[in-house]
Amino acid sequence: MPIGVVGAVLAGLCALVAAIAIVRGAAGLAGGAVGVWVPAAVLSLAASFANQWTPAVVSGALLVGLLVIGAVVRGIVNAGEPARSTARAARLAASTGQAQAAQAVTTAAAATSSPPATGTIPALAR
């Protein structure tokens, strides 16, 4: 297998990792993937010595295309966030209301079963 093709495949994999990292919001991983993409793209340039520019063009096009796709998907995911946060807050309020009702029943049962404490702390005033 020619070394330029190997470089293009490695560059494509790095571009894919960068796109997935952008979708997930992991900026450090995206930067690392693009940083590893650079030597792989340089490796794909080795095919240019035989006038085969296809691996270099493919590796560059893959990076640009997948970064754009990752940014678009990230935008779509962020656009749906307000609806998800509203639903999450409603679920939390419903579960908190049920938990508070259960706690009130438990507290009422505990209050009727034990007498209230009558002990006092002596006053520290003169």
Side-chain angles (χ1 to χ4, degrees), residues 89-125:
R91 282 193 311 269
L92 181 63
S95 67
T96 304
Q98 292 171 355
Q100 287 175 350
Q103 183 180 12
V105 169
T106 306
T107 305
T112 58
S113 64
S114 63
T118 57
T120 59
I121 299 175
L124 296 176

Side-chain angles (χ1 to χ4, degrees), residues 45-53:
L45 285 172
S48 67
F49 292 113
N51 287 332
Q52 297 294 322
W53 289 96

Side-chain angles (χ1 to χ4, degrees), residues 44-96:
S44 73
L45 285 172
S48 67
F49 292 113
N51 287 332
Q52 297 294 322
W53 289 96
T54 305
V57 171
V58 166
S59 65
L62 276 173
L63 180 68
V64 171
L66 286 174
L67 289 180
V68 168
I69 289 171
V72 167
V73 171
R74 180 72 179 167
I76 291 169
V77 168
N78 283 344
E81 182 59 33
R84 284 193 301 274
S85 64
T86 303
R88 191 177 304 123
R91 282 193 311 269
L92 181 63
S95 67
T96 304

